[in-house]
Amino acid sequence: MSAGLSWEQVSAFGDEVELEIEEQLEALAELGIRHLELRSAGGEPVDLLDADQLARCRTALANTGFDVSAIASPVGKSTLDAPREESAEQLRRCFHAAAALDSKLVRIFSFYVEAGELDAVRGEVHERVGDLAHLAADAGLTLLLENERGVYGERPERLRELVDTVRSPALQVCFDPANFVQAGCDAYPAWELLRDDVAHVHVKDALPNGDVTVAGSGAGAWPEILADLTAHDYRGWLTLEPHLHFVLEGDGRTRLRAAAEALKALLG
């Protein structure tokens, strides 16, 4: 295995495999993974899990020796028409989940914006993300701002500008090479532009036509990115997010195994 990177840094989304938290953890454990990026449990998104559901998650994690690498919130996967307080309240619910499950990281997005409106709404996006970062700083948590198709930070230049403008220690980057490829961006130049603020990495790949594939089989520059992570002694998470349901036959466990085996092959 590559020096500087370890399978112990590998986490995974479990809700692409199973609905119930116990079965998610079982599927990950079969692959030697002991860290879960929690997006949903029992079909309920993490920001809507009530006290009993969070207690069930906490018990399942404790019983299996798992921890939560990050809370994969949907905050910022909305348009700017939504009131600011709506996103703030959604984030506070995610903070509650993070506290209940002993996580310090919460993934967010930078709001859906039409391509022709990017310049017009720049200031509002900066303010909204800055407000969310301020809430996170007060709570002692870190937000992971993910590049996603269709959001303000879809392209690396916009994401770089957004992080530089907010400039908060509570705001870092969740880097997803496949999402950049699907947005028509070259993955490695995007990595070079953003790497100094990357604290979290999602592991999947994409072909130039947009089809998702396992890491190393697409245009996501995975060998180069992993080499750079090793060279810079990266200590964050590598979270498997297969998204292979449209392109690979079989059940969720089969698809997760394919994603895990590809990453293991890259790590050596």
Side-chain angles (χ1 to χ4, degrees), residues 81-138:
D81 293 333
R84 294 191 186 199
E85 183 54 32
E86 189 174 290
S87 294
E89 182 54 35
Q90 189 178 40
L91 187 62
R92 291 187 189 100
R93 294 197 299 268
C94 291
F95 290 171
H96 179 68
L101 302 176
D102 298 323
S103 177
K104 293 293 186 182
L105 303 175
V106 178
R107 184 272 307 272
I108 67 166
F109 300 92
S110 54
F111 302 97
Y112 289 120
V113 178
E114 296 293 334
E117 298 296 319
L118 288 166
D119 288 335
V121 301
R122 178 190 288 120
E124 184 174 359
V125 172
H126 290 174
E127 288 180 10
R128 288 194 181 214
V129 174
D131 288 347
L132 298 176
H134 183 74
L135 291 175
D138 285 348

Side-chain angles (χ1 to χ4, degrees), residues 78-223:
S78 58
T79 67
L80 296 172
D81 293 333
R84 294 191 186 199
E85 183 54 32
E86 189 174 290
S87 294
E89 182 54 35
Q90 189 178 40
L91 187 62
R92 291 187 189 100
R93 294 197 299 268
C94 291
F95 290 171
H96 179 68
L101 302 176
D102 298 323
S103 177
K104 293 293 186 182
L105 303 175
V106 178
R107 184 272 307 272
I108 67 166
F109 300 92
S110 54
F111 302 97
Y112 289 120
V113 178
E114 296 293 334
E117 298 296 319
L118 288 166
D119 288 335
V121 301
R122 178 190 288 120
E124 184 174 359
V125 172
H126 290 174
E127 288 180 10
R128 288 194 181 214
V129 174
D131 288 347
L132 298 176
H134 183 74
L135 291 175
D138 285 348
L141 300 175
T142 298
L143 301 182
L144 303 168
L145 185 60
E146 182 176 351
N147 58 291
E148 169 82 0
R149 287 172 296 167
V151 300
Y152 182 85
E154 174 188 65
R155 300 191 65 83
E157 299 84 4
R158 293 278 180 179
L159 191 57
R160 176 75 271 162
E161 158 237 299
L162 177 54
V163 172
D164 285 345
T165 301
V166 173
R167 190 43 62 193
S168 167
L171 182 71
Q172 297 189 331
V173 172
C174 172
F175 190 89
D176 189 316
N179 288 351
F180 275 130
V181 172
Q182 290 179 321
C185 304
D186 291 331
Y188 194 70
W191 169 256
E192 290 183 306
L193 186 64
L194 295 163
R195 84 177 140 209
D196 288 347
D197 289 285
V198 171
H200 201 72
V201 177
H202 281 173
V203 182
K204 61 180 185 288
D205 210 336
L207 301 171
N209 68 1
D211 287 348
V212 177
T213 185
V214 298
S217 296
W222 274 105

Side-chain angles (χ1 to χ4, degrees), residues 1 38 65 93 144 266:
M1 191 164 290
L38 183 62
R93 294 197 299 268
L144 303 168
L266 287 168

Side-chain angles (χ1 to χ4, degrees), residues 34-55:
R34 291 288 173 179
H35 314 286
L36 173 72
E37 188 145 328
L38 183 62
R39 181 168 50 197
S40 68
E44 199 73 40
V46 65
D47 60 306
L48 296 181
L49 296 177
D50 63 23
D52 289 342
Q53 291 166 316
L54 288 171

